[in-house]
Amino acid sequence: MKGVLFDFDGTLTRPGAIDFPAIKQTIGCPGDVAILEYIKSQPPRKRVVLTEILEGYEAEAARLSIPNKGAEACLSTLRMRDVPVGIITRNSLKSVISALQQFEGSECHDFDVVITRGAALPKPSPEGVFKAAAGMGCLAEELMVVGDFRFDVIAGKRAGAGTILLTNGGASTMAPGDPEPDYICRYFDEVAEILLDKLFCFDQ
Ligand SMILES: [Mg+2]
């Protein structure tokens, strides 16, 4: 393993900032359909309106986002040791830039690659993982994809990467028939331990 690709919301940031059920209710998206896919299925005019509503929610959530416990320390350790680190998210670049303002010592340009909405097909497509790997100078199989939602694990697995599902102390979001994540962690600190162990176990 050579690099780490993090999901953003609920992974690098503390979960709960984005209220997905509220967004779904406002835009009329059924509970079992993903928001971006629902918007994409609507007629063009309605799509524009719904996207604006979504972006309003996202902007507010980004403003309220705070780093997940242990995330800043992990990022700075990875950076100090020259490990390629990227972000992959279904959220917008604007939201990521805004939320990163609450992070000590991490701005967009501190990441080797930031794949946001529109830069690749959204997760669970593996396209963004492949794109990220190329930008990080490694193969997808050399990446560990870390995320708190089943789409993160599915995208990572489809690309051939290692995967860590972070549950943030809650229930797993994986569904029957989904691929198994390589690791399941309750808290970010456990993610950091696995990453450092996988990356540097041959150093000591
Ligand atoms: Mg997430």
Side-chain angles (χ1 to χ4, degrees):
M1 184 192 137
K2 290 188 181 159
V4 188
L5 186 56
F6 289 105
D7 164 54
F8 194 67
D9 296 292
T11 300
L12 289 180
T13 68
R14 217 173 279 188
I18 294 195
D19 188 347
F20 289 113
I23 298 173
K24 285 186 173 182
Q25 205 182 359
T26 308
I27 66 172
C29 173
D32 59 348
V33 178
I35 292 168
L36 297 182
E37 286 71 6
Y38 172 74
I39 293 177
K40 209 178 162 199
S41 73
Q42 299 302 304
R45 258 233 183 92
K46 195 172 172 197
R47 223 181 286 161
V48 173
V49 175
L50 299 186
T51 302
E52 269 174 25
I53 296 172
L54 171 65
E55 286 174 350
Y57 272 99
E58 286 174 338
E60 176 66 2
R63 209 176 53 76
L64 299 173
S65 284
I66 47 173
N68 212 345
K69 192 170 163 284
E72 288 165 304
C74 177
L75 288 173
S76 76
T77 304
L78 294 173
R79 200 166 298 132
M80 243 159 40
R81 304 192 71 161
D82 284 327
V83 176
V85 176
I87 290 173
I88 184 166
T89 176
R90 288 162 57 95
N91 207 329
S92 67
L93 180 60
K94 219 160 112 183
S95 295
V96 173
I97 291 171
S98 162
L100 281 176
Q101 288 179 1
Q102 328 301 326
F103 281 66
E104 185 77 45
S106 278
E107 291 177 47
C108 250
H109 61 77
D110 293 312
F111 294 87
D112 295 85
V113 72
V114 178
I115 306 278
T116 54
R117 183 155 74 232
L121 288 174
K123 298 173 281 188
S125 164
E127 190 182 283
V129 179
F130 286 122
K131 224 171 174 174
M136 293 162 76
C138 42
L139 299 170
E141 301 93 89
E142 295 170 328
L143 290 181
M144 187 67 88
V145 175
V146 184
D148 67 319
F149 188 53
R150 49 190 288 266
F151 284 3
D152 302 312
V153 173
I154 297 170
K157 281 278 170 185
R158 284 185 182 163
T163 53
I164 300 178
L165 176 72
L166 171 63
T167 64
N168 289 305
S172 164
T173 56
M174 303 309 293
D178 284 348
E180 282 289 315
D182 295 289
Y183 301 91
I184 299 179
C185 296
R186 281 176 61 77
Y187 297 107
F188 196 95
D189 286 332
E190 297 166 33
V191 173
E193 248 172 65
I194 291 170
L195 293 178
L196 298 182
D197 186 55
K198 298 286 282 177
L199 286 159
F200 306 118
C201 56
F202 301 113
D203 281 17
Q204 290 141 14

